[in-house]
Amino acid sequence: MPIKLVTTVADLHSQSAQLLTDKNGTSQGLVPTMGALHEGHAALARTAVEQNDVVVATIFVNPLQFGDATDLDRYPRTLDADLALLEAQGVDLAFAPSVEEVYPGGEPLVRITSGRLGEKWEGASRPGHFDGALTVVAKLLHYGTPGAGLSAGKAVDSEGAPGGLPAYRAYFGQKDAQQLALVRRMVSDLNFPVEIVGVPTVRSADGLALSSRNRFLSDDEREAALVLSRALRLLEERAKAREPLDLESAQTMVQSQPLVGLDYFDVVDPDTLEPLAENCRETPFRGEALALIAAKVGPVRLIDNMPLSS
Ligand code: AMP
């Protein structure tokens, strides 16, 4: 089916409700994105299409989560290509609102606070980033609620008891591990009625995690950036082999690449993102952890991560 594009919340509600009715659907999936879509986003969309009767993707470059106005201005915008990619995955509806549609009263006074979990790692070098990201994710999760455009009577069964409410799932990439952890916490701490589904990171054949910002890398910088995924793979192999992680040698490997300015590279608890204790890194690896890395390569800040398990 051809994808439908809507730009207002009212149209999103009426069109998604219509689709649910037409398809006799019992589930709706939401895929929030900032556009400039690539195979990583396609994986999110495909997973959502596999798991839901109706799928809505959102395309919105959220000014609230950009500290730097230049970064916001130069963020790539490729709507036609994005719609084609989403349609090819079977997405029903694309919601691409204006900034005024999402923030009709200007910047919101009241926001979601990401708390301690939002202050470390990416949050440390991008103050306010996660508050802005969670605020828009909260709004998008509300907009995408299935049945929001149905008349009240349709969300209850004939006896008037709550029933027949469609399942609601939202899809986020493991690539942005801290964002995924924060969205999971927001949804559980604040009781959002939605299931959050994490989708594994999609990489190019040489290992580089796909990102809309990779297009700003020169050939040399792109080559240099491969050291991030190589270092993560090294830790993954050591973890699988139940060897000591020896994080320091992996850090040295990244630091020895002259075009790469390492910001952080650590091994953390996958839920709290607190660094593992020193002794866990030096003894043979057991259990579950997450390796997080961020670096500046040329003009681009790159992040990547790798789940570790043995
Ligand atoms: P963005 O448009 O960059 O805000 O990303 C939208 C969603 O796509 C987020 O949930 C990201 O985590 C996810 N995403 C971005 N890149 C990848 C990737 N390489 N693999 C999997 N998911 C990704």
Side-chain angles (χ1 to χ4, degrees):
M1 248 203 344
I3 193 166
K4 283 190 183 143
L5 171 66
V6 291
T7 56
T8 66
V9 176
D11 284 349
L12 169 64
H13 284 165
S14 62
Q15 296 282 335
S16 58
Q18 190 62 50
L19 280 161
L20 265 181
T21 309
D22 292 350
K23 294 186 170 195
N24 220 353
T26 58
S27 54
Q28 187 160 306
L30 184 80
V31 182
T33 81
M34 296 204 299
L37 303 183
H38 50 62
E39 270 306 305
H41 302 104
L44 265 63
R46 267 198 305 278
T47 312
V49 168
E50 276 161 27
Q51 299 181 353
N52 300 278
D53 297 321
V54 172
V55 173
V56 178
T58 70
I59 299 174
F60 179 63
V61 183
N62 173 36
L64 230 53
Q65 70 193 67
F66 284 80
D68 176 353
T70 336
D71 193 26
L72 172 63
D73 288 344
R74 71 166 193 179
Y75 199 84
R77 284 150 171 98
T78 59
L79 185 62
D80 290 342
D82 294 349
L83 294 175
L85 179 141
L86 294 171
E87 184 173 287
Q89 317 312 315
V91 171
D92 301 285
L93 205 54
F95 175 51
S98 65
V99 172
E100 294 71 32
E101 180 70 11
V102 176
Y103 302 115
E107 286 205 353
L109 202 54
V110 176
R111 303 179 186 205
I112 301 282
T113 307
S114 56
R116 269 188 300 126
L117 188 51
E119 281 165 15
K120 51 185 143 203
W121 310 120
E122 281 309 282
S125 54
R126 304 178 69 186
H129 167 69
F130 286 119
D131 290 5
L134 288 184
T135 300
V136 86
V137 168
K139 288 172 72 88
L140 295 172
L141 289 173
H142 292 320
Y143 297 152
T145 303
L150 292 175
S151 61
K154 288 203 180 158
V156 296
D157 67 17
S158 53
E159 268 102 48
L165 280 179
Y168 184 24
R169 305 182 184 95
Y171 296 78
F172 293 85
Q174 175 66 38
K175 157 80 170 45
D176 297 280
Q178 190 172 7
Q179 171 175 275
L180 176 58
L182 279 162
V183 170
R184 286 192 194 285
R185 281 310 297 251
M186 174 176 78
V187 160
S188 71
D189 287 353
L190 304 180
N191 305 91
F192 282 40
V194 58
E195 179 193 340
I196 301 301
V197 181
V199 178
T201 302
V202 177
R203 300 173 180 281
S204 57
D206 56 14
L208 187 66
L210 298 188
S211 160
S212 309
R213 292 187 166 96
N214 289 351
R215 68 189 70 197
F216 299 126
L217 295 169
S218 69
D219 289 350
D220 285 352
E221 287 159 355
R222 196 183 179 291
E223 184 61 34
L226 295 178
V227 75
L228 272 65
S229 53
R230 268 194 224 118
L232 289 172
R233 284 226 198 281
L234 188 64
L235 293 187
E236 185 189 32
E237 280 157 24
R238 287 177 184 159
K240 266 195 201 132
R242 301 191 165 186
E243 289 167 8
L245 293 179
D246 187 10
L247 178 63
E248 260 175 38
S249 68
Q251 285 168 335
T252 307
M253 176 175 153
V254 179
Q255 280 157 343
S256 64
Q257 172 52 254
L259 295 180
V260 174
L262 185 61
D263 180 359
Y264 59 78
F265 185 10
D266 214 334
V267 179
V268 303
D269 177 285
D271 298 318
T272 63
L273 305 191
E274 291 293 340
L276 293 194
E278 224 35 63
N279 58 358
C280 302
R281 308 175 200 211
E282 285 161 12
T283 52
F285 183 83
R286 286 289 161 92
E288 306 285 324
L290 185 65
L292 294 178
I293 192 165
K296 191 97 190 277
V297 184
V300 187
R301 183 184 168 78
L302 294 177
I303 58 171
D304 199 353
N305 68 86
M306 186 69 76
L308 306 179
S309 71
S310 70

